Every structure is written in structure tokens, then in C-alpha cells.
Amino acid sequence: MSDKTPGAAPAEHQKGILGLIERTGNRLPDPVFIFFYLIIAMAIVSIVADFANMAVEHPTRVDDAGNPVIVDAISVFSPDSIRHLLVEMPEIFTGFHPLGYVLVVMLGAGVAERAGLFGTAMRAAVRDVPKFLLTPAVALVAMMGNLAADAAYVVLIPLAAVIFAAAGRHPIAGITAAFAGVSGGFSANLLPGQLDALLFGITEAVVQPLDPGWVMNIAGNWYFIAAMTILFTPVIWYVTDRIIEPRLGKWTGGAVLGSTNPDDDASAELTAGQKKGLAHAGIAVLVIALVWILLTVDVLALVTGGSASLYGGNAPLFSADTSLSATQRLVPFFSSLVAGFMLLFIFAGIAYGRAAGTIRNHRDIVDMMAGAMKDMGYYLVLAFFAAYFVELFNQSQLGLIFAVNGANGIENSGLPLPIVLGLIVLFAAVLNLFVGSASAKWALLAPVLVPMLMLLGVSPEMATAAYRVGDSGTNIITPLMVYFPLILVFAQRWVPSFGLGSLTASMLPYSIWLLITGIAMTVLWVFLNLPLGPGATVQYVLPGAG
């Protein structure tokens, strides 16, 4: 952002903690190079650890004599490590767990977004809401809009300003409420989506060395993120209506800024084609959901009450092994949800696009998919270095060594597990001020946090959930967040003097209250041992432990 932006002081002239954070953060390199430097640092640490004979007892493995297996630190410059890292470089990259999950989901999301489904659906959801319910409606749709990734920022936030102004309310309040929902509630949603696939893919990569039988479940945080959505909605409602809007004062600028306002089109009525497209997309969603039910439920046995099956003994997405629990037999269903969301987005996007006129033929669909993959170019570069960082941790065995020592330290400290999880939320929130990417931070933290918590009896799903709470809360107060300057531009269309400090001051109450709510929810969730999603629990027993 230029120093000439109206109302915004140059970073060098910012005072106090905000100026310090901005100046420090601006000096940080790109996340890709952060991983590159960490790889170099980890290589050096592995040499030192190997030379110092660092070692721990493996928490689950024993030798033939029944003694615990000793895990020694290994230098990544050992002949075996060098051979592995160079010979298997393509496999390390392509085998990075989040990569396939994210690319598959984005193939579908790219069609839905570029066809216009996401943008139109968000507009339709908030246009005709009663004035007194406008704030919670915007907050809820903004959190749900995370399924649409970037579209929620570029469509819903400026649209919220127009809708607030049209209702006689301050448009900046609409922007802050939408920004708080989209970014402050980044992990909150009523449905799992591409973020779940991304984070759980990283989680799976660090879990499997300890528990090879653990399989990623994209719905592993479903109940947790749905509860976040339910709790965060009234919090954003309260902060907007009781704290932010009174500070802004009464809006007297009218509902429309003038013909130069690029948001005017967003406030227009939906066309007949768009309405028809939404209806067709809804039918497509129901059809895909029905197909997944038929693939999971033994329909004939359900109807007849007998043992016969429509699929020769079991539905394809329901394991035939009767010795397993019902949850374990649903593992194929959980594993299929990535493909399910891809198909849902593709067919809903096509149904909308054909009716609305944004998709004319099959070439448009291919172009939309290709466009989505082009947008993933930066992520592919980041994933390459993140994959090597994770692999380096695994090769050096430092991740397990740090996790065992960390678990022992926490156990000796006597801190209750709910408090430990709350502190992890705070740590992730502070780190988020400097490193904006959710996947980059989790790739840094997961190799230590997840195994450490597993050793303490906390599931990988709960570790991931705690991280997500911290990752969301401070998104909206750091200028290092990539969309922060864009939100400032949206605000300055309505109030030209609205500067960087104004935006940060407006978003700070949201950040504080969302963090307080998220930490309280995390602590209570662990204390009550509530399920995190289908088949996902807080407690965890490491196979072979004890």
C-alpha cells in the first residue's frame, strides 16, 4: 500500500505497538523464504543434536526384548538422509498430504466461483434481511463465505457497506462486521471446506509416523467449527451494534456514493437468470447429497430390515468389516468427502452457470478449472518448501524428540489440559500477527504440537481445532494480512479520511472478543470432552502406549 493513501501514515511513522508490529512484520521475508531459511536452520540444528547424542524413548515402540526403542537425532547430512532428500525429491513434493486434497477441492470451487455462484449466493443471502437482523445476517453469511475463499473478501465486504448504507446505517459498520466474519471467523463455518482439507492434510503428514493407521477426516472439526459459527455470530453482532457503530456516529452520506462507486452493481436486484441459476444450483446440491447418502447407506437392508444389500453386502462408502465400530466403518465415507465437495462445487457451479449464462459450453468449464489451478501457483511453490521442511523434521527425528520432551515438561508442570489448549490458542494468535498464511503457520507448528498433544492424550483433531481458533482471531488487526489494504480501500470509498489506524482500532474489539470467546469455547470443549466431528473425539490413546 502506498504511503500516499489518504489518512494512512507511513509505516515508519506509526507509533506504539501497532507501528512496532507493522515495521517488524514488513521486514519479514515471504513465507516461501521463511521455510527456506528454516530448512537451513533445521539442518544445522540436526547436526548439533546428532553431535550431542540427543535421544528419547519412543512412546509406543519396543524392541524384541520388550525394551522401548530409542529415538536418536539424525543429521540430515548423513549419507542416508542426503540420498533420500535428493533421490526422492519428486515423491516428497507430490506426496505432501495437503497438496492433493487442496487441488482436488479447488477444481470444484474454481468452477463455482468463476461461474458466479458464490457471489450471487452471498448477495441473495443478505439483500432482503430485516434491518434489525442485518448485522447477524452479514456476520453469518461472511463466515459461511469462507467456502468461497477470496470471493468472500472481494464480493461480500463491499456489498455489506452498500446494504448498511441503504438501510440508513453506517457503511463502515457493514465493512467491519463482514471483515470480522470473513477473516476473524476464518475457521468458523457450518460446513467443512477447503480449509479443512488443507489443515488436516498437514496434520495427517505429522501424525502417521506415530500412528500409521490414523486417516484424515475432512469432517473431523465439523461440530467444533459449527459451534464457533453459532457463538461468533452474536459476538460480532454485539461488537458491531454496541461498540463500533456508536463510535462511527450517524451516517448521513446516503445509500449510494455516486456513479463512480464500483459497488453499485452489487446492490442491484438479482436478474432472472441469476435467480434461476440459484434454484438449479440448489437442486444440484441436493442430488449430490442424495448420491452420497446412497453410497453410504445400505438402502435395501434399511428398507427391508433384513441382511440383504443393494450393493452386495455393504454400501461402497461403508466398510464391510463387521468387527469394526460404526464410526470406524464410516472411514471410507469420511475419506470420500474431499471428492464429494469437489463434485458438489462442480455440479452446482455448472447448474448455476448454464442457467445464468456464465457457462456457455464445456470449454468454459475447463477454462474455469484451469483458472483455479493458475491461482494455486503460489501455493504450489509454498507447498514444495513446506513439504521439505516437514520431511526434514521426520528425517532428523527432532519433531518426535521435541514432542516427547515438551509433553514431559507439560505433564511435570501440572497444568490441566484445557489450560494447555487455551495457551496454544494464544500462541497461535500471536504468531498470526507476523505470519499470515494459515497453512504456513500450521506446517511450522504441527510437527511439534500435534505429536506432543497426542502423547498427552489429546487427539490430532483437537490439536488442529485449537490452532484454528488462534489463527482466526488476530487476522483482522494485522496489516500483514494480504487483504488488509484492500479492506482499507473499501472503507475509503465511503470515508476518504479512514486510515490504517482507524481500521485497526475498529477491528481490535472484534479480535479481543473473538479470542476470548474462542479460548473459552476451546477450554470448555476439552473439559466436557465433546465430540469434534463425526468419529472425532478430544481424547486420544496412542496405539501401543501404556
Side-chain angles (χ1 to χ4, degrees), residues 504-524:
T504 305
S506 296
M507 300 314 299
L508 187 59
Y510 292 105
S511 185
I512 293 172
W513 279 104
L514 290 176
L515 266 180
I516 291 173
T517 304
I519 291 172
M521 173 184 159
T522 302
V523 170
L524 189 62

Side-chain angles (χ1 to χ4, degrees), residues 109-120 274 345-346 348-354 356-359 364 368:
V111 174
E113 180 180 354
R114 284 165 172 75
L117 171 59
F118 286 150
T120 302
Q274 289 172 331
F345 288 142
I346 285 178
I350 292 174
Y352 172 87
R354 295 292 292 182
T358 55
I359 294 179
D364 290 338
M368 290 174 180

Side-chain angles (χ1 to χ4, degrees), residues 300-544:
L300 189 56
L302 184 66
V303 172
T304 64
S307 59
S309 172
L310 184 63
Y311 298 101
N314 279 106
L317 298 181
F318 193 78
S319 174
D321 188 349
T322 56
S323 66
L324 301 175
S325 67
T327 299
Q328 291 171 323
R329 296 180 73 184
L330 278 170
V331 167
F333 167 77
F334 298 145
S335 300
S336 75
L337 287 177
V338 172
F341 276 102
M342 181 199 74
L343 294 176
L344 185 146
F345 288 142
I346 285 178
F347 285 103
I350 292 174
Y352 172 87
R354 295 292 292 182
T358 55
I359 294 179
R360 298 179 300 277
N361 52 53
H362 69 281
R363 290 183 177 82
D364 290 338
I365 300 170
V366 175
D367 288 342
M368 290 174 180
M369 289 183 173
M373 292 301 99
K374 289 177 184 176
D375 290 346
M376 296 301 293
Y378 175 79
Y379 175 75
L380 292 175
V381 177
L382 178 65
F384 176 82
F385 288 93
Y388 251 79
F389 177 78
V390 172
E391 187 68 18
L392 197 90
F393 243 67
N394 291 337
Q395 283 288 302
S396 66
Q397 303 196 109
L398 288 174
L400 181 59
I401 292 173
F402 293 157
V404 171
N405 289 329
N408 291 336
I410 292 174
E411 194 169 22
N412 293 333
S413 72
L415 285 174
L417 279 179
I419 301 301
V420 172
L421 270 295
L423 291 175
I424 288 174
V425 171
L426 274 178
F427 177 69
V430 172
L431 183 61
N432 191 44
L433 291 170
F434 303 95
V435 183
S437 169
S439 58
K441 284 194 302 296
W442 191 225
L444 291 173
L445 298 177
V448 174
L449 286 183
V450 174
M452 181 183 75
L453 291 172
M454 289 168 65
L455 296 173
L456 293 171
V458 177
S459 70
E461 291 90 348
M462 187 65 241
T464 307
Y467 164 75
R468 297 175 73 163
V469 175
D471 174 63
S472 297
T474 50
N475 274 336
I476 51 180
I477 60 172
T478 171
L480 302 179
M481 204 275 282
V482 293
Y483 285 104
F484 202 87
L486 178 65
I487 309 307
L488 185 60
V489 170
F490 289 154
Q492 289 174 346
R493 292 172 178 170
W494 298 89
V495 181
S497 62
F498 199 82
L500 182 66
S502 303
L503 180 58
T504 305
S506 296
M507 300 314 299
L508 187 59
Y510 292 105
S511 185
I512 293 172
W513 279 104
L514 290 176
L515 266 180
I516 291 173
T517 304
I519 291 172
M521 173 184 159
T522 302
V523 170
L524 189 62
W525 206 283
V526 177
F527 179 76
L528 296 178
N529 192 27
L530 300 174
L532 293 152
T537 59
V538 170
Q539 295 180 351
Y540 171 85
V541 178
L542 195 63

